[in-house]
Amino acid sequence: MHAKGQLEWRIRSIVCVLGLLILVSVDGADVPMTILSSAVAIGAVCLDGSAPAYHFSPGSGSGVNNWLVHMEGGGWCRNAQECLARRDTYRGSSKHMPPLSFSGILGNQQSSNPDFYNWNRIKIRYCDGSSFTGDVDTVDPKTNLHYRGNRIWLAIIQDLLAKGMNKAQNALLSGCSAGGLASILHCDKFRSLLPATAKVKCLSDAGYFIDAKDVSGGQYIRSFYQDVITTHGSAKNLPSSCTSRLPSGLCFFPQYVVPQMRTPLFILNAAYDSWQIRNILAPNNADPEKTWSECKLTIKKCTSSQLNTVQDFRSEFLNAIPRMGSTSSTGMFIDSCNAHCQSGSLDTWFSADSNSIQKTAIGKAVGDWYYDRKVVQLIDCPYPCNPTCKIVKDD
């Protein structure tokens, strides 16, 4: 990457000088964080009871009536013990959230984000552990845990509507990882809250988690998601188009939700998603001898037998997404990278050497799909065919 591009994609670095931590923001200034104090009155709070938060960079020029709402990721907590471990961190409290800058799909440079750079750009911070689906009234005084993710989402969306999103001409609901799952689960609701005349679509980045058996033959992820739903009281907030047909525990899996969605969706995912390989295919409890430890770090260290299993997982993933050509409103960018979340950094979103399929960068593919410039359904060849792939860490 050329020097300017390298400078732009680096969001920030922490430099230690004489014992002091200095925040260096290379991709522009940190975007201010809005603490939505008014949400506390309706119980829309983080795990620790603090007010929810989001970052807002106002639109300008031709983008003044366009809105991009991006939901932060960060896994889930499935019981009180796991939620307690998050409660007093930035994953469970707005009191501990660090500052951040915008890049990738949220970037403000036309050269590196040509279709969304001047939109109203929002990042909703994630502090509930349920992909913004929880809603339990009671609070156990022993833990002081508040399971209120769905209330958080509604409170922030209502606040944004009052700030001008109710006049939106174009809107995109997106998210990464647990936020990418949330963008699917809340997509049709988001559409219903915006003007009927607005063009509204949704983007899921690394949020298409599949219902697959692990290497021991068990169904760890199905059990995990059921525990999340039970703990957070999420069932009533999952899409009724799914829960009316299937047990609520299955309605955390996009493959059972997406076929009934009414709003156009773009699926951005690695076929060898690093989180899914570590936590769905080979979770720790399914690998007591830790034979998958090296392979889970990087596919390059998989044995030939393990690689065959990983390739089978890719096939299962491809079978779980909508069929190509089933509808032009469904966009896809499924690369053969061993990555997780690819929209948040310029390095992978839209640069000279970003992750690409058929010489098309992710940012170009999403823009073409959103503005209906072309049908975008790109599925990569199997690993290790793509030399543009970069390691991308979890959000």
Side-chain angles (χ1 to χ4, degrees), residues 318-338:
L318 295 181
N319 286 332
I321 63 175
R323 290 180 178 273
M324 289 184 65
S326 59
T327 169
S328 61
S329 66
T330 300
M332 300 179 206
F333 188 103
I334 312 297
D335 58 30
S336 62
C337 305
N338 185 206

Side-chain angles (χ1 to χ4, degrees), residues 207-230:
Y208 207 98
F209 302 96
I210 66 170
D211 181 19
K213 291 184 177 180
D214 58 50
V215 292
S216 72
Q219 293 181 306
Y220 170 79
I221 192 63
R222 185 182 285 197
S223 174
F224 180 93
Y225 280 163
Q226 181 60 67
D227 289 344
V228 171
I229 291 168
T230 300

Side-chain angles (χ1 to χ4, degrees), residues 187-200:
C187 183
D188 283 342
K189 178 66 174 178
F190 183 71
R191 159 70 277 185
S192 71
L193 293 171
L194 269 68
T197 54
K199 175 196 276 293
V200 181

Side-chain angles (χ1 to χ4, degrees), residues 128-150:
D128 66 272
S130 72
S131 283
F132 301 94
T133 62
D135 192 350
V136 177
D137 274 324
T138 57
V139 177
D140 186 343
K142 294 179 181 178
T143 62
N144 192 39
L145 286 169
H146 299 70
Y147 303 115
R148 307 284 179 76
N150 189 66

